[in-house]
Amino acid sequence: AQSVTQLGSHVSVSEGALVLLRCNYSSSVPPYLFWYVQYPNQGLQLLLKYTSAATLVKGINGFEAEFKKSETSFHLTKPSAHMSDAAEYFCAVSGDNNNDMRFGAGTRLTVKP
Amino acid sequence: DSGVTQTPKHLITATGQRVTLRCSPRSGDLSVYWYQQSLDQGLQFLIQYYNGEERAKGNILERFSAQQFPDLHSELNLSSLELGDSALYFCASSSQPGLAAFEQYFGPGTRLTVT
């Protein structure tokens, strides 16, 4: 069984500051891990995914995430926040059996001017 | 615009009723996925179809069913509706059969309100 926990339902940063959104996973099989972004009144958009290749994954819009097996974490970072980054972010995990996907509760990112 | 379309955009109905949500995948995509997003349960994967056949099943209730037609559009049927079924229902599509390894493109969603 797989699950993800997103630490912090709401994160607020200033424009230009570092963005760090935390995700810890639990999986009995090697996981596939994802970060999705949801803008208001829109569907989800894939930011990046980890599929057992490089542990540091670069995504769209300047985001990246690092897979750390020892810490069972897949935190999302961006060096410098932009106002347009304000959205809800979801971490998700799927297993090698490929028949289920579990999402975290989401983290709402607010960017202050 | 992801290329995935969903109709209707909003749906208001009463408890006990049955509704059908429709999804058209991106041109060329064979996989369709259904998700439910609610305040109580968060975002949950419901079911996946690939080229007309059920491929994967998540937290889908027995009152819910789905199918994918030969033209690849999909319908999600929700019956004996309860207040707790009020949610945003997303459809996503992908070119591949796997659930995990390939990018899914999400539609704008159908907001269902059960009164």
Side-chain angles (χ1 to χ4, degrees):
Chain A
Q2 296 109 216
S3 66
V4 289
T5 302
Q6 290 184 240
L7 300 174
S9 59
H10 193 179
V11 170
S12 181
V13 301
S14 297
E15 192 173 19
L18 170 72
V19 175
L20 171 60
L21 304 182
R22 300 176 189 271
C23 172
N24 287 89
Y25 71 91
S26 170
S27 179
S28 56
V29 296
Y32 297 129
L33 292 158
F34 307 81
W35 276 100
Y36 284 88
V37 61
Q38 185 178 26
Y39 297 102
N41 301 314
Q42 293 187 29
L44 277 71
Q45 181 181 7
L46 182 68
L47 276 178
L48 49 82
K49 64 185 179 188
Y50 167 77
T51 56
S52 76
T55 57
L56 182 61
V57 182
K58 293 189 184 298
I60 62 172
N61 301 340
F63 284 93
E64 63 181 38
E66 186 171 7
F67 173 71
K68 291 187 177 180
K69 186 177 180 180
S70 60
E71 298 177 9
T72 60
S73 68
F74 191 59
H75 301 332
L76 181 72
T77 61
K78 181 173 180 178
S80 176
H82 193 272
M83 296 297 289
S84 61
D85 294 326
E88 185 117 23
Y89 292 80
F90 293 91
C91 182
V93 63
S94 182
D96 207 30
N97 54 14
N98 231 8
N99 65 1
D100 195 6
M101 181 176 282
R102 300 295 174 99
F103 288 83
T107 297
R108 183 168 297 278
L109 176 66
T110 301
V111 182
K112 299 175 291 187
Chain B
D1 185 357
S2 66
V4 178
T5 60
Q6 290 187 247
T7 56
K9 202 167 184 176
H10 300 278
L11 197 50
I12 302 174
T13 189
T15 54
Q17 295 298 304
R18 172 189 169 95
V19 297
T20 297
L21 313 184
R22 182 188 169 104
C23 168
S24 292
R26 288 190 325 155
S27 177
D29 282 356
L30 299 179
S31 273
V32 170
Y33 312 79
W34 285 99
Y35 294 87
Q36 179 196 58
Q37 185 177 34
S38 67
L39 288 175
D40 291 342
Q41 303 288 333
L43 189 61
Q44 294 192 97
F45 164 67
L46 295 178
I47 196 165
Q48 178 205 358
Y49 279 81
Y50 178 76
N51 203 19
E53 294 192 3
E54 183 182 306
R55 184 82 181 187
K57 218 166 185 175
N59 293 330
I60 189 165
L61 300 172
E62 285 193 12
R63 300 184 285 108
F64 296 0
S65 65
Q67 55 184 326
Q68 186 179 28
F69 295 86
D71 67 353
L72 300 177
H73 90 272
S74 177
E75 292 180 357
L76 178 67
N77 300 296
L78 315 176
S79 62
S80 302
L81 285 168
E82 303 174 359
L83 295 177
D85 298 328
S86 296
L88 198 51
Y89 291 84
F90 287 109
C91 166
S93 77
S94 166
S95 61
Q96 302 293 331
L99 179 63
F102 303 98
E103 180 164 357
Q104 298 177 32
Y105 294 86
F106 279 76
T110 292
R111 182 168 296 281
L112 173 67
T113 302
V114 182
T115 62

